[in-house]
Amino acid sequence: MTDRAMPVPEGLAGMRVDAGLARLLGLSRTAVATIAETGGVELDGSPVGKSDRLTAGAWLQVRLPEPAAPPQNTPVEVEGMTVLYSDEDIVAVDKPPGVAAHASVGWTGPTVLGGLAAAGYRITTSGVPERQGIVQRLDVGTSGVMVVALSERAYTALKRAFKARTVEKRYHALVQGHPDPSSGTIDAPIGRHRGHDWKFAVTERGRDSRTHYDTLEAFVAASLLDVHLETGRTHQIRVHFAALHHPCCGDLTYGADPVLAGTLGLERQWLHAVSLAFTHPGDGRRMEITSEYPADLEHALAVLRARG
């Protein structure tokens, strides 16, 4: 254990313990919450919980656990993951559902980086060890196009492009019901869900988030949407449409109807990254990489079309 002690800075006054210490110490809110739950956070000598508020000038003591070894992207062939494009700078894969972009604490399943390592790809050393080469991520349950940097110049250029929002990210999403209007923009800030550290929600103090959509096909119980992300927040599409009471079909985490999910044969959210368009970091040409729907998403559409 390592002890840290200091007065609470003025800038953290009034913040929750988990949010304030996450900012102060560079830890995740989940990690801070765990420390607080075991009595590892004290203000002026008294233990406090994760939701208690910080007071400017109060004497803060935190008992930090010894850092764990970083997660490893074990080289293992990933079933169903195919390479859509590769050269000396980048590799684009068609990520199947059930696969994480990279290793993380608590995840024991396959990863894109592990699959690429098993296939013989040498990833740039740019980035923290478990996320080297990662310039974008898809949720574990989301399928489709994902690009990874192989060279340092590609990593730098693509990170800058995603930050500058010059990468065009298009998804197709099957949502419950019929959004009104049928085409539009959702402009609503996204932050962590107050009751669940692993969920997100539209919150007043969340990060700027914008989602543009058009209806491609309307069914009795659902709508197939073409979605363009202007920003790239965690779970953005899932959160925005859930907030409109049109969650992605099969997305039980964000309120989807389990009966409809069962009817459609869905065991994950109907959400697919259909294309990425960006400027190649090596030769400057504009390129677009696309992905077809996997079998489970095609099946769900077939069921809806058969029902009229």
Side-chain angles (χ1 to χ4, degrees):
M1 290 292 215
T2 301
D3 288 347
R4 294 281 299 275
M6 69 199 80
V8 175
E10 288 282 349
L12 300 186
M15 292 186 67
R16 284 172 50 117
V17 166
D18 54 359
L21 295 194
R23 179 180 299 181
L24 181 65
L25 302 175
L27 302 173
S28 69
R29 289 180 63 171
T30 300
V32 175
T34 301
I35 295 170
E37 288 168 358
T38 57
V41 181
E42 295 182 1
L43 283 180
D44 289 334
S46 299
V48 291
K50 66 178 182 179
S51 59
D52 289 330
R53 301 289 171 171
L54 296 170
T55 303
W59 192 249
L60 172 68
Q61 290 181 287
V62 184
R63 287 189 293 276
L64 299 173
E66 294 299 325
Q72 300 294 316
N73 292 289
T74 305
V76 175
E77 181 179 350
V78 176
E79 183 178 355
M81 188 176 83
T82 58
V83 172
L84 299 171
Y85 175 87
S86 69
D87 59 29
E88 63 181 4
D89 288 303
I90 62 173
V91 56
V93 301
D94 202 347
K95 187 188 88 65
V99 180
H102 57 78
S104 60
V105 176
W107 176 253
T108 58
T111 66
V112 170
L113 291 185
L116 290 175
Y121 286 90
R122 298 183 63 182
I123 310 296
T124 174
T125 56
S126 298
V128 297
E130 68 272 22
R131 298 198 297 271
Q132 288 176 347
I134 293 292
V135 293
Q136 57 138 169
R137 288 178 287 185
L138 296 178
D139 296 344
V140 169
T142 300
S143 53
V145 180
M146 181 177 158
V147 66
V148 176
L150 298 181
S151 67
E152 291 188 24
R153 70 174 178 180
Y155 181 84
T156 300
L158 288 174
K159 288 288 282 187
R160 185 182 299 121
F162 275 101
K163 185 175 182 179
R165 302 175 184 173
T166 60
V167 178
E168 294 180 18
K169 300 168 285 187
R170 288 182 56 245
Y171 294 75
H172 283 180
L174 184 70
V175 303
Q176 293 182 190
H178 308 103
D180 185 15
S182 58
S183 297
T185 296
I186 306 170
D187 189 346
I190 291 177
R192 287 193 176 273
H193 193 289
R194 292 184 62 182
H196 304 276
D197 286 338
W198 41 270
K199 286 179 63 176
F200 292 80
V202 170
T203 62
E204 184 179 351
R205 297 185 179 181
R207 300 176 68 189
D208 179 47
S209 307
R210 279 181 297 280
T211 301
H212 308 283
Y213 70 92
D214 293 290
T215 298
L216 297 175
E217 193 170 356
F219 308 99
V220 172
S223 300
L224 179 63
L225 308 180
D226 178 70
V227 181
H228 168 69
L229 288 184
E230 183 175 333
T231 55
R233 310 306 178 205
T234 303
H235 298 181
Q236 179 171 323
I237 295 172
R238 300 166 65 189
V239 170
H240 269 172
F241 284 101
L244 295 183
H245 307 293
H246 297 293
C248 292
C249 293
D251 194 357
L252 305 188
T253 297
Y254 285 101
D257 178 5
V259 174
L260 179 59
T263 299
L264 300 180
L266 291 172
E267 297 182 352
R268 49 109 170 189
Q269 65 266 17
W270 203 114
L271 182 59
H272 187 69
V274 293
S275 71
L276 274 178
F278 53 91
T279 299
H280 191 281
D283 57 30
R285 62 194 160 97
R286 191 68 177 173
M287 61 187 305
E288 181 177 16
I289 302 172
T290 62
S291 166
E292 300 294 327
Y293 299 156
D296 62 333
L297 303 191
E298 285 282 16
H299 172 76
L301 292 178
V303 171
L304 287 170
R305 287 167 180 150
R307 297 174 71 181

